Amino acid sequence: MEDNLLYWLWLQHALGPGSTKPRKLLAHYGSARACYESGRESWEQAGIFTPVERKRMADGTLEQAAAQLRLAQSLGQSVICPDHPEFPVLLREIPSPPCVLYYKGTLPPADALCIAMVGTRQATPDGLAAADRLSYSLAKAGVVVVSGGALGIDSACHRGALRAGGKTLCILGCGIDYNYLMKNAPLRETISQNGALISEYPPNTPSSAHSFPIRNRLISGLCAGTVVVEAAKKSGALITVSAAIEQGRDVFAVPGAMVNEAARGANELIREGAKPVMSAQDILEEYPGRYWEETEKESSRSIPAVPEEETAPEPLELPGALSANAAKLYQALGTSPRHITEIALDAGLSVHHALAAVTELELCGRARSFSGRRYSR
């Protein structure tokens, strides 16, 4: 298996991250090793590679690949290629699959339901609360939350999953060991112990303006669906959505207020056909049989210590901007989950108005959602 890995490392060095060539190469040669052994004349005749790529292929050696592997392993990173049984199945299917993955931590099992959650770095308090609550509820249901480790929505999603005692994956646009966003270094360390840090970039590779858009296809590619919490009209999160659409994956979006510029991108996605998300159940219902009830797993997992957030703690009192219906519904909520019809009856509201009210409470962190349209404080 390691022999195969060396050929894939050689190929990654020649083609670079994000290349569409691996799929074409496998169709033509059958394996990375067969491509390596075929030689220069065959590479030129295949009509797959550019002159620059052919030169890199000729200049690269297996000894260099082995040295790269030893360096990664010395830094506590694992390295796998598409031939490895633990290589994520969904990533093999995307148009531009990575030649290798570096990771620190533990990859989820092949049957795990992974959901990507992305959004803006300049998130609003409501957006951060929604991201935290949504990822918390998804992780409670056994979903692996996948995001990019940036400030704002990404960090809120990772923290929500960790707070629930769940698993989360952080996909980086640089080498895992690179000193990217040191403010989030404690969070990344916690993620590596409760999920994994993942990159297709070798050790010592710095981040760049080009590496993050390339990275985004892996965030969506690892997942059955991608959720946008807050994103402006021009946002890196929307690059991830474009990749998800190209990969044939589901797209969800959390609706935001009309006057919230940070939500313009998410709102437009809904107008274009993305499924609106008011609670975790809106996502989970698309994947029946692939998640569990909260109580099935709650007693068997330990909650990790989550690094302190960069945002202020949630207020203890209800926000004054809540609607009258939301205030009524909050009074009817208990500490144990109940179906929305019961809660609506106690609050004296129709189910339609109760659903709108509970969405308000979720967005400000005052209601929790469970499967089967059940809610609690």
Side-chain angles (χ1 to χ4, degrees):
M1 187 65 67
E2 186 168 304
D3 286 344
N4 287 345
L5 178 56
L6 295 182
Y7 293 109
W8 282 105
L9 283 164
W10 161 80
L11 190 60
Q12 187 221 37
H13 173 75
L15 301 181
S19 174
T20 60
K21 302 295 176 68
R23 188 175 292 282
K24 299 176 183 177
L25 178 149
L26 288 178
H28 186 83
Y29 289 104
S31 70
R33 177 172 184 168
C35 176
Y36 177 87
E37 294 176 344
S38 64
R40 295 190 183 193
E41 185 176 346
S42 173
W43 300 338
E44 186 171 357
Q45 292 175 350
I48 298 174
F49 311 107
T50 66
V52 172
E53 289 169 342
R54 294 199 300 271
K55 184 178 187 307
R56 288 176 180 167
M57 292 164 73
D59 292 344
T61 67
L62 295 184
E63 289 75 17
Q64 291 171 337
Q68 189 72 63
L69 177 60
R70 288 194 298 271
L71 174 60
Q73 292 173 336
S74 72
L75 294 170
Q77 301 173 23
S78 299
V79 190
I80 55 175
C81 62
D83 297 333
H84 196 283
E86 292 185 9
F87 194 89
V89 175
L90 288 179
L91 278 187
R92 292 195 184 104
E93 302 173 356
I94 68 175
S96 52
C99 293
V100 295
L101 286 179
Y102 300 83
Y103 69 94
K104 184 178 181 182
T106 304
L107 295 178
D111 61 350
L113 174 58
C114 296
I115 295 294
M117 296 187 64
V118 296
T120 180
R121 290 172 172 82
Q122 287 77 44
T124 66
D126 282 349
L128 293 172
D132 177 89
R133 285 290 178 178
L134 192 56
S135 60
Y136 178 93
S137 296
L138 289 172
K140 280 285 190 180
V143 173
V144 178
V145 174
V146 181
S147 198
L151 296 176
I153 295 299
D154 285 12
S155 292
C157 293
H158 289 306
R159 287 192 172 97
L162 292 170
R163 193 165 56 83
K167 302 296 183 183
T168 183
L169 306 179
C170 175
I171 318 302
L172 296 168
C174 58
I176 292 174
D177 61 308
Y178 184 71
N179 290 334
Y180 162 69
L181 190 61
M182 292 309 294
K183 186 175 184 179
N184 264 6
L187 176 61
R188 289 196 297 275
E189 181 60 29
T190 304
I191 291 171
S192 72
Q193 298 166 8
N194 298 275
L197 306 173
I198 300 175
S199 177
E200 65 181 319
Y201 291 94
N204 301 323
T205 302
S207 57
S208 71
H210 302 291
S211 63
F212 289 105
I214 292 173
R215 176 279 311 265
N216 288 357
R217 83 193 197 287
L218 300 186
I219 294 178
S220 59
L222 278 161
C223 301
T226 294
V227 185
V228 178
V229 180
E230 275 188 336
K233 289 189 67 174
K234 293 183 179 180
S235 167
L238 300 186
I239 296 176
T240 307
V241 169
S242 296
I245 293 171
E246 182 185 17
Q247 294 159 356
R249 308 298 160 79
D250 299 324
V251 176
F252 306 87
V254 176
M258 180 178 64
V259 295
N260 181 4
E261 288 296 322
R264 290 286 296 276
N267 288 341
E268 290 200 5
L269 286 174
I270 293 172
R271 186 174 64 182
E272 293 168 2
K275 181 176 180 179
V277 172
M278 303 300 217
S279 70
Q281 185 60 27
D282 291 328
I283 300 168
L284 295 173
E285 66 187 11
E286 300 295 324
Y287 310 103
R290 298 192 61 189
Y291 62 93
W292 54 61
E293 296 285 339
E294 177 190 12
T295 53
E296 290 182 19
K297 194 70 177 178
E298 190 171 4
S299 61
S300 65
R301 59 183 171 221
S302 58
I303 309 291
V306 183
E308 184 178 351
E309 301 185 23
E310 72 272 7
T311 55
E314 295 179 10
L316 297 177
E317 297 181 358
L318 285 175
L322 280 180
S323 68
N325 285 347
K328 287 181 183 179
L329 194 81
Y330 182 77
Q331 297 304 319
L333 285 175
T335 56
S336 298
R338 292 192 300 154
H339 195 272
I340 190 63
T341 54
E342 296 179 55
I343 304 169
L345 185 62
D346 288 350
L349 299 172
S350 69
V351 174
H352 173 76
H353 288 142
L355 285 169
V358 80
T359 299
E360 282 189 61
L361 294 173
E362 283 188 283
L363 290 174
C364 69
R366 289 292 162 265
R368 298 171 57 190
S369 64
F370 301 83
S371 60
R373 292 200 168 185
R374 295 177 300 133
Y375 300 86
S376 73
R377 289 189 181 182

